[in-house]
């Protein structure tokens, strides 16, 4: 807490794995609230109904994984009644806190790329506050991946040659709908960011080179793993551990300073394949008026 105060941390996102499985989540959220720090929960939503009281009382806003209409969502999740359980969880939160922001995040992959507009329609029907999109990550060890990622897994996520054109057509249809049919700001990405998803998949199939997004995550944020490891972002290697020092000490260590001084986002091979970047133009005080993680004008990821 001394480090959070000294670093003037204003926002903490609980991610995972599944943060609702953490027995101290409510205590952690309460401690942060006492410090005036905003909290966001990233969850698959499978146990959201069971934990609705905890979430409604202790978390400022929620981002749920949302993979598509019912059949597609259930198929991708690989869990019986995953959509129904998410639906019940959202409903339970709405009863407890009617105005609570509940955003959706859709990871675009081979099983749902033809159904992005249908995914938006399903999210609206579920009464989500907004929906954001990002490309599936098949090249890093982020989110508990082990490298190399097995071919059978990457083949289920990545597009095949020729399918990029279908994705681009779906994205253009979505962009057109955002201008005419979809409520303003419900889809959080700009047309440019949506088209970047298509470009990412074209790069995966070797049609074009990978291009780094705009990102200043290592200078404005940090990722703390459950074992205490501190990363500059989800994708790069840790440069310290909380078992060896405070968060402030780790972020100002020689290793962290060297990383920030030497990395070139535009040329770094990890950054070039990044699917979840963070870019802040304004101060954090202004950012708190937006929705981190759902593609406001100054932030993606």
């Amino acid at each position: 807490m001394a480090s959070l105060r000294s670093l003037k941390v204003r926002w903490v996102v609980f991610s995972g794995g599944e943060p609702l499985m953490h027995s101290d989540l409510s205590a952690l959220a309460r401690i942060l609230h006492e410090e005036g720090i905003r909290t966001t929960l990233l969850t698959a939503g499978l146990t959201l109904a069971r934990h609705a009281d905890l979430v409604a009382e202790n978390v400022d806003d929620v981002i749920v994984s949302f993979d598509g209409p019912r059949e597609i969502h259930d198929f991708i999740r690989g869990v019986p009644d995953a959509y129904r359980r998410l639906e019940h969880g959202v409903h339970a939160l709405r009863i407890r806190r009617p105005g609570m922001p509940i955003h959706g995040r859709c990871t675009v992959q081979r099983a749902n790329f033809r159904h992005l507009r249908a995914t938006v329609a399903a999210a609206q029907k579920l009464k989500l506050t907004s929906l954001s999109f990002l490309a599936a990550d098949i090249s890093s060890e982020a989110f508990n991946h082990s490298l190399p990622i097995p071919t059978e897994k990457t083949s289920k996520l990545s597009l095949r040659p020729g399918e990029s054109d279908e994705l681009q057509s779906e994205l253009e249809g979505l962009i057109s709908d955002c201008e005419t049919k979809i409520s303003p700001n419900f889809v959080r990405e700009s047309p440019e960011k949506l088209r970047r998803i298509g470009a990412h998949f074209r790069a995966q199939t070797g049609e074009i080179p990978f291009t780094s997004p705009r990102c200043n995550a290592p200078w404005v944020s940090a990722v703390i793993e459950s074992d205490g490891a501190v990363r500059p972002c989800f994708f790069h290697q840790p440069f310290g551990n909380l078992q060896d020092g405070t968060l402030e000490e780790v972020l100002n260590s020689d290793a962290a300073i060297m990383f920030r001084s030497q990395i070139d986002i535009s040329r770094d091979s990890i950054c070039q394949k990044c699917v979840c970047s963070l870019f802040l133009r304004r101060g954090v005080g202004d950012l708190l008026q937006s929705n981190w993680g759902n593609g406001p004008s100054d932030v993606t990821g």
Side-chain angles (χ1 to χ4, degrees):
M1 288 308 305
S3 286
L4 296 184
R5 293 179 188 126
S6 179
L7 293 166
K8 296 181 172 59
V9 172
R10 304 309 305 152
W11 205 321
V12 170
V13 179
F14 294 111
S15 183
E18 175 52 66
L20 287 176
M21 295 179 66
H22 199 296
S23 59
D24 288 330
L25 178 62
S26 60
L28 291 169
R30 282 198 301 271
I31 291 171
L32 294 170
H33 270 175
E34 290 172 1
E35 293 294 320
I37 296 173
R38 180 174 178 170
T39 55
T40 294
L41 174 71
L42 279 172
T43 175
L46 294 174
T47 61
L48 199 52
R50 186 193 315 163
H51 298 290
D53 288 332
L54 180 159
V55 175
E57 292 172 8
N58 299 293
V59 176
D60 289 299
D61 52 87
V62 176
I63 302 173
V64 297
S65 298
F66 192 73
D67 296 310
R70 186 182 302 271
E71 296 79 7
I72 294 173
H73 183 84
D74 286 351
F75 173 77
I76 292 176
R77 288 289 118 186
V79 177
D81 292 329
Y83 191 97
R84 180 186 60 80
R85 292 165 69 176
L86 172 60
E87 188 175 36
H88 287 180
V90 171
H91 180 67
L93 284 181
R94 291 291 185 220
I95 291 176
R96 288 158 177 81
R97 273 179 61 188
M100 185 176 195
I102 307 174
H103 308 280
R105 175 177 291 173
C106 177
T107 300
V108 180
Q109 53 148 295
R110 191 160 188 276
N112 64 9
F113 79 93
R114 295 183 177 94
H115 308 282
L116 304 186
R117 285 172 287 181
T119 299
V120 172
Q124 290 179 312
K125 185 175 181 181
L126 205 59
K127 294 184 171 29
L128 297 182
T129 307
S130 70
L131 182 66
S132 64
F133 293 93
L134 75 162
D137 173 42
I138 62 169
S139 61
S140 80
E141 64 175 17
F143 316 115
N144 298 317
H145 293 166
S146 296
L147 294 179
I149 300 175
T151 303
E152 60 268 21
K153 184 172 183 179
T154 60
S155 64
K156 292 179 180 179
L157 299 175
S158 59
L159 271 58
R160 297 172 183 172
E163 291 181 332
S164 297
D165 290 339
E166 293 183 69
L167 172 59
Q168 193 60 48
S169 177
E170 181 68 13
L171 287 169
E172 293 301 328
L174 176 57
I175 291 168
S176 177
D177 283 358
C178 286
E179 296 173 349
T180 59
K181 299 179 182 179
I182 301 171
S183 302
N185 298 321
F186 185 80
V187 175
R188 302 304 299 181
E189 280 73 36
S190 66
E192 177 187 0
K193 291 175 183 176
L194 288 173
R195 291 184 177 117
R196 179 175 171 78
I197 294 173
H200 183 85
F201 280 101
R202 286 191 185 279
Q204 284 183 356
T205 57
E207 298 172 56
I208 61 174
F210 284 101
T211 304
S212 299
R214 299 181 70 188
C215 181
N216 58 5
W219 294 271
V220 301
S221 65
V223 173
I224 302 173
E225 302 279 12
S226 57
D227 62 358
V230 180
R231 297 175 180 264
C233 67
F234 284 108
F235 303 95
H236 282 279
Q237 290 294 316
F239 45 45
N241 195 294
L242 295 186
Q243 298 185 40
D244 302 320
T246 66
L247 178 62
E248 186 174 13
E249 289 170 342
V250 171
L251 292 179
N252 289 303
S253 65
D254 290 342
I257 292 172
M258 182 177 295
F259 175 88
R260 291 191 293 268
S261 67
Q262 293 184 351
I263 187 171
D264 182 343
I265 301 295
S266 64
R267 297 175 181 267
D268 186 86
S269 60
I270 293 177
C271 296
Q272 288 174 341
K273 296 181 180 180
C274 179
V275 299
C276 188
S277 62
L278 175 70
F279 181 75
L280 300 186
R281 283 197 301 262
R282 299 177 295 179
V284 172
D286 294 328
L287 174 64
L288 291 178
Q289 305 305 314
S290 301
N291 295 311
W292 181 91
N294 286 271
S297 58
D298 293 336
V299 188
T300 61

